[in-house]
Amino acid sequence: MPVIHDIPLKIDVNEVLRQVGIARDADLRPKMESLIAELLASDEADCLLAPAIAYELHAITEIHSDRLCIDNSWTIQGSLLSSELAQASDLAVVFCTIGPDLENEKAECKAKKNLMRALLLDSFGSAAIDILAVEAYHLIRDIAASRGHAASSPISPGMQGFSITEQWRMAKLAPIKEIGLQLTSSGMMKPQKSLSMIIGFGEEMPTWSRAEACARCNLAKSCLYRIHTQPF
């Protein structure tokens, strides 16, 4: 059950600003940009992050219209999986987290009414987990290539046709405890700055950019955090 720690993350000001969700012409933007640059230039940014990835590979034994059967003993529900991974022979179940330290620091800032810093830390954490997810995808894509397979783009719980509660099933298929992850009763992850995904392996797999994934969302036209150009 592979687990990877100490993953370097390259986070830039623009990615954090996107997560802040402040319009480009907003009065607050220059001040926030300066604070972000200050944070990224300090040692504090690295101290607050503990990036880790846990994953496991599984054989797909049956594909139904609403579920995948895994290793002849497990199922993962979701019409999105069945449609996008119809040609897959195997899949990777992947969990990523940046750890609890940033979340704890943000909570302390809120308690002290330092709301600007709390917002900055939250946006920094969101940018970090997004970048970590891309690193995880590249890792799995390389593993697929080493087996002579292509990799699909990642599919995460919460997307249409793949319920967030399926994280309970996914958690049994990857070593999440080894990277400090827990699930709440509703299937949400703790620490909050964490992410899970499923990636299919096969001869030909469907892929899409992060911008295309955002475009599929019901909030695509109004979302301040929407990605417009980035690939996986």
Side-chain angles (χ1 to χ4, degrees):
M1 291 189 174
V3 173
I4 304 172
H5 295 278
D6 302 323
I7 302 144
L9 302 179
K10 296 181 180 179
I11 304 171
D12 64 30
V13 172
N14 288 330
E15 181 61 16
V16 182
L17 279 171
R18 183 181 69 80
Q19 298 288 349
V20 174
I22 296 176
R24 292 187 178 277
D25 57 351
D27 293 338
L28 187 59
R29 191 176 179 90
K31 181 178 181 180
M32 183 62 74
E33 186 170 356
S34 176
L35 289 172
I36 293 169
E38 182 179 334
L39 174 63
L40 292 177
S42 70
D43 293 333
E44 182 184 15
D46 289 336
C47 292
L48 291 173
L49 300 180
I53 300 169
Y55 71 92
E56 190 57 271
L57 308 180
H58 299 274
I60 299 175
T61 50
E62 291 182 40
I63 299 178
H64 300 272
S65 61
D66 60 347
R67 67 192 185 280
L68 301 182
C69 297
I70 311 299
D71 298 335
N72 287 314
S73 58
W74 298 93
T75 62
I76 302 180
Q77 306 282 344
S79 59
L80 180 62
L81 295 178
S82 301
S83 62
E84 297 293 352
L85 305 184
Q87 303 302 316
S89 59
D90 301 271
L91 58 76
V93 178
V94 187
F95 285 83
C96 312
T97 184
I98 61 168
D101 293 343
L102 183 141
E103 194 171 307
N104 293 337
E105 177 69 14
K106 184 184 75 172
E108 288 185 16
C109 289
K110 282 188 174 181
K112 295 176 181 178
K113 306 299 183 183
N114 190 347
L115 301 184
M116 175 73 80
R117 179 171 169 77
L119 173 62
L120 168 62
L121 289 173
D122 184 75
S123 301
F124 177 69
S126 295
I129 190 60
D130 273 5
I131 292 169
L132 179 59
V134 173
E135 293 295 321
Y137 174 69
H138 290 168
L139 167 70
I140 299 300
R141 184 186 62 187
D142 290 346
I143 292 172
S146 72
R147 296 181 168 206
H149 287 158
S152 74
S153 290
I155 301 172
S156 292
M159 297 174 71
Q160 289 185 351
F162 191 23
S163 171
I164 195 70
T165 58
E166 287 304 298
Q167 285 188 144
W168 276 109
R169 298 178 194 267
M170 291 174 61
K172 296 177 181 178
L173 298 169
I176 68 169
K177 291 183 179 179
E178 294 187 31
I179 60 172
L181 269 176
Q182 298 178 343
L183 295 185
T184 67
S185 58
S186 60
M188 301 298 288
M189 286 181 285
K190 294 178 63 178
Q192 292 180 357
K193 299 304 182 185
S194 303
L195 183 145
S196 67
M197 53 188 171
I198 284 178
I199 300 165
F201 288 13
E203 291 186 6
E204 294 185 11
M205 288 284 96
T207 59
W208 49 88
S209 69
R210 298 175 72 194
E212 288 170 331
C214 279
R216 295 183 181 189
C217 177
N218 291 333
L219 300 176
K221 293 182 178 180
S222 58
C223 180
L224 293 174
Y225 314 105
R226 180 181 175 185
I227 294 171
H228 295 276
T229 59
Q230 290 174 293
F232 279 107

